[in-house]
Amino acid sequence: MTKKLSLKNVIQIFVKDAESKAISQIEEKLRHARDAASEELEIIEIDLPTIKTKKREKVLEAIHAVFQAERIDNKLFIKCDGCGKGQVHLVLASSIWTQLPNWLVCSDGIAVVNGNEFRPDVGGWSPRPTFAERFQPIINRTPPPLLWIEVAFDRSNDRDNALSKIAYVQRYCPNTEFVLIVISYRSPIPANPNPDATSVVATASASRSLIVPYLSHWDIGVAFGAALWYKMQWNEHIVLDCGANLYFNDVLRCLE
């Protein structure tokens, strides 16, 4: 038997005295956004209702526990990534963590940046956040990762949202390197014509590729407009500032 709970019910399980009116408003806005959408949504933006100051962090923890949500000031952004992106997140996190075993590398962790909450698609922290920061990241203000990866579909709203996020958080994360990977949602890519080949370092370009999938990389401390761009091709990789390689094959195998 399955018990169906509304967002209001779930939040009240986490926070017994949460303001049910605010939570109900979030749930209602989500319903309206989904009903009004003419195409599949990658992200839903809604206004965050007023929450009493003394309960704010606990309510935000509960919201983030239920949704893939990010917050900038009083705007809540709820991500709808699905299986396509999710596989890329997990594969990249596994590959990089294997190379950096003393780091914490995970998909969908929460970091607090300039008083707002963000969820890098893949984040790498060194040193590893404390137990309290990992299990209650908003209350304990988990710091931003040193490696921040975003994955977006080749749709203007999804891609532009990822670029806007990086442009915003980069100002407050002087020790973080950023990666954006843009993938297609339309059709699979051709299989690797030479699967036994040794991976080589990819050649960067100063301008964005017009063909997906492609990748942009911001070294630590570079300006937002100084990203390096790469067309993602089989049997190539880039070397990250953190010392790990980001293998294009890891991503491309998810897109076959």
Side-chain angles (χ1 to χ4, degrees):
M1 180 178 179
T2 300
K3 183 177 181 181
K4 185 176 180 181
L5 297 176
S6 68
L7 175 58
K8 174 182 173 181
N9 299 139
V10 175
I11 296 299
Q12 288 178 332
I13 291 172
F14 283 96
V15 186
K16 298 298 184 182
D17 59 349
E19 291 188 27
S20 59
K21 180 180 178 181
I23 302 307
S24 296
Q25 288 174 343
I26 294 174
E27 191 175 34
E28 187 66 20
K29 289 178 181 180
L30 284 173
R31 187 181 300 112
H32 284 310
R34 291 192 176 104
D35 290 345
S38 58
E39 60 181 24
E40 186 175 351
L41 295 171
E42 288 93 26
I43 191 162
I44 300 173
E45 177 183 340
I46 62 174
D47 293 326
L48 185 68
T50 302
I51 303 171
K52 289 182 179 179
T53 302
K54 67 179 182 179
K55 301 176 181 178
R56 187 176 179 84
E57 289 183 339
K58 288 185 177 180
V59 173
L60 289 173
E61 286 277 10
I63 291 172
H64 284 283
V66 176
F67 291 105
Q68 284 187 298
E70 298 181 311
R71 182 183 64 85
I72 300 179
D73 299 328
N74 289 319
K75 293 288 186 180
L76 197 65
F77 301 87
I78 297 177
K79 301 164 77 174
C80 310
D81 284 343
C83 182
K85 286 186 190 176
Q87 184 184 13
V88 176
H89 302 166
L90 293 174
V91 167
L92 285 175
S94 176
S95 174
I96 293 170
W97 202 1
T98 298
Q99 299 174 68
L100 301 172
N102 294 324
W103 286 46
L104 171 65
V105 183
C106 66
S107 169
D108 205 32
I110 296 175
V112 177
V113 179
N114 192 37
N116 297 303
E117 303 91 44
F118 294 91
R119 306 175 87 106
D121 289 335
V122 178
W125 284 262
S126 179
R128 185 175 71 161
T130 66
F131 181 93
E133 289 170 341
R134 298 196 308 275
F135 285 86
Q136 290 186 306
I138 299 171
I139 292 173
N140 295 294
R141 300 188 178 278
T142 300
L146 299 184
L147 172 64
W148 190 314
I149 300 175
E150 292 290 326
V151 180
F153 286 127
D154 187 32
R155 288 175 172 156
S156 58
N157 57 340
D158 198 30
R159 181 184 62 246
D160 292 349
N161 175 73
L163 286 167
S164 296
K165 182 199 301 188
I166 292 172
Y168 176 89
V169 299
Q170 189 188 39
R171 293 174 288 170
Y172 305 101
C173 303
N175 299 316
T176 299
E177 67 176 310
F178 293 88
V179 175
L180 170 63
I181 297 172
V182 179
I183 61 177
S184 175
Y185 60 92
R186 296 180 180 87
S187 58
I189 65 170
N192 189 345
N194 192 6
D196 296 324
T198 300
S199 182
V200 298
V201 176
T203 301
S205 170
S207 58
R208 185 169 73 188
S209 171
L210 298 177
I211 301 174
V212 289
Y214 59 81
L215 176 152
S216 55
H217 179 220
W218 289 263
D219 287 305
I220 295 172
V222 305
F224 178 74
L228 296 176
W229 298 86
Y230 300 84
K231 180 181 178 182
M232 298 187 75
Q233 303 181 108
W234 289 108
N235 308 320
E236 294 185 352
H237 65 272
I238 62 170
V239 180
L240 300 170
D241 295 346
C242 62
N245 293 334
L246 194 158
Y247 293 102
F248 293 177
N249 284 15
D250 288 339
V251 176
L252 298 178
R253 277 193 288 265
C254 299
L255 307 178
E256 291 183 283

